[in-house]
Amino acid sequence: MPAWISVGLVEDSDQRLLDLRNGLLQRPAHISPKFFYDAQGCALYSAICELAEYYPTRTEAAIFERHRDAIARRLPRGVQWVDLGCGDGAKSWPWLKPVEARRWVGVDISPEWLSMSLQAGGQQFVEVEFVGVATDFTRPLQLHHVLGQRPHWPRVFFYPGSSIGNFPPEQALALLGSVREHLGPEGRLLIGIDGVKDKAVLEAAYDDALGVTAAFNRNVLRVVNRELDADFDARRFAHRAVFNSRDSRIEMHLVAQGVQQVHLGTDQRVFDDGEAIVTEYSYKYTPESFAALLREAGFGSSWHWSDERGWFHVFVAGA
Ligand code: AVI
């Protein structure tokens, strides 16, 4: 029977809504990308991962496929496999045998995803212990207690999909530092990183011809309407994705088409024609810049593997 633990999720929910409201009242207005992922947003994100233009998912999968043995040689055995932002858990499953996993710890903000992954994994790997932790890991990780239940099983933190890129560098550093604190002596981090590349390739990946990413971006306004009792008209905001090469990040915006007065519960906010709401940053790293970030976060060793075009990088890092 898979175990289920909730760390700090319920207590955080008022603060989340306060942050959302304050972000929209600021200039420039912003919405945290964590609000993308309601049921509709998750479905749209799954569709993005299948798009011809969106190379990260399939490029990372190809690196994992091709280099699985070499990567696994850098990981301990008999591990607690900690899947950060596990979703349906599917990216974890091919790793559990190579590392002789004894325990899978899925960490996700969505209880729905967690129960799905616990069930799917529990059926497939009957020898493995399954634990789900519902938490918002944009806040410091609090997994010492859960992982301490099996003190002698080394830890592997798995953070695929270049999701670390959605954090500004100082927050990415804090998250990596927090993982580092949880590692223990033999522990490792296995993480996927999107690389810096041609601007046209990057911008197409975030502004596809079918408009799926545009729908994903606009959907966040429906989430805001629900969460804050607001009245955004998603049709009157245009999707925009640009690569900011100075800061090495894709920036996604929603741009007001005409002046708009929007109610946010009891507050009001007027958006000028052409005013942009920042909805997501997706930072791109070179292997060198990411290795430097790992060192800054306290990791003493790292190895990496890339695809032939050097578009995506997979790192293993240890104490
Ligand atoms: C989840 N994250 C890594 C995606 C990215 O590429 O930054 C989210 C995304 N936004 C638009 N397309 C995909």
Side-chain angles (χ1 to χ4, degrees):
M1 185 67 171
W4 174 270
I5 296 161
S6 171
V7 183
L9 192 62
V10 177
E11 302 89 290
D12 286 342
S13 72
D14 287 350
Q15 189 58 45
R16 267 165 56 85
L17 295 187
L18 208 60
D19 292 347
L20 178 60
R21 172 187 159 279
N22 290 342
L24 281 163
L25 292 175
Q26 278 171 24
R27 286 176 194 275
H30 61 88
I31 300 172
S32 164
K34 67 187 173 195
F35 290 99
F36 279 137
Y37 299 97
D38 69 339
Q40 182 74 70
C42 288
L44 287 165
Y45 181 61
S46 299
I48 286 174
C49 293
E50 302 293 325
L51 290 169
E53 295 96 330
Y54 193 75
Y55 59 84
T57 313
R58 77 180 69 87
T59 310
E60 181 185 60
I63 298 171
F64 283 162
E65 224 21 69
R66 179 158 179 209
H67 298 290
R68 193 173 319 274
D69 292 348
I71 295 171
R73 279 199 289 278
R74 295 291 180 190
L75 303 175
R77 295 290 178 271
V79 306
Q80 308 194 56
W81 184 268
V82 185
D83 188 335
L84 294 178
C86 61
D88 65 2
K91 286 187 182 180
S92 275
W93 311 149
W95 291 101
L96 298 193
K97 282 221 159 68
V99 297
E100 297 163 20
R102 290 194 269 198
R103 196 178 203 218
W104 181 85
V105 181
V107 183
D108 207 286
I109 195 166
S110 154
E112 291 80 20
W113 277 122
L114 278 172
S115 65
M116 214 153 76
S117 55
L118 288 172
Q119 214 174 356
Q123 274 167 10
Q124 219 178 314
F125 300 93
V126 288
E127 307 294 319
V128 177
E129 249 181 63
F130 277 82
V131 181
V133 181
T135 191
D136 175 358
F137 62 86
T138 59
R139 301 182 186 267
L141 292 175
Q142 300 170 46
L143 300 175
H144 291 294
H145 173 69
V146 177
L147 301 179
Q149 291 167 343
R150 300 285 176 265
H152 303 299
W153 297 358
R155 300 152 185 190
V156 173
F157 281 77
F158 182 50
Y159 197 28
S162 68
S163 296
I164 189 90
N166 295 131
F167 293 99
E170 62 282 4
Q171 281 178 33
L173 186 63
L175 176 57
L176 291 172
S178 181
V179 170
R180 170 70 190 83
E181 271 174 29
H182 282 76
L183 271 194
E186 280 183 82
R188 293 278 192 266
L189 166 67
L190 170 57
I191 187 167
I193 301 301
D194 195 15
V196 177
K197 61 186 67 62
D198 191 70
K199 184 177 165 76
V201 174
L202 282 167
E203 289 184 350
Y206 291 83
D207 192 6
D208 57 284
L210 294 178
V212 181
T213 311
F216 172 74
N217 198 8
R218 283 201 193 92
N219 179 62
V220 81
L221 296 180
R222 297 173 25 156
V223 175
V224 173
N225 285 348
R226 229 173 24 236
E227 297 281 357
L228 292 185
D229 190 20
D231 56 3
F232 277 101
D233 181 351
R235 285 168 303 192
R236 299 190 64 209
F237 283 82
H239 168 65
R240 182 169 74 194
V242 284
F243 184 58
N244 170 340
S245 53
R246 195 198 56 187
D247 295 319
S248 197
R249 67 187 184 207
I250 282 280
E251 299 183 359
M252 289 210 321
H253 303 144
L254 287 166
V255 184
Q257 307 295 289
V259 177
Q260 299 181 46
Q261 190 179 36
V262 178
H263 296 92
L264 305 166
T266 52
D267 295 303
Q268 276 186 37
R269 169 73 153 89
V270 176
F271 290 90
D272 297 332
D273 182 26
E275 188 179 341
I277 305 173
V278 178
T279 52
E280 186 179 64
Y281 291 150
S282 192
Y283 284 84
K284 309 302 168 188
Y285 292 91
T286 62
E288 295 73 25
S289 65
F290 194 71
L293 195 66
L294 285 170
R295 278 196 299 277
E296 211 184 324
F299 290 89
S301 52
S302 72
W303 303 265
H304 78 272
W305 295 262
S306 309
D307 59 299
E308 293 91 352
R309 293 182 294 197
W311 280 10
F312 199 94
H313 316 291
V314 168
F315 275 78
V316 169

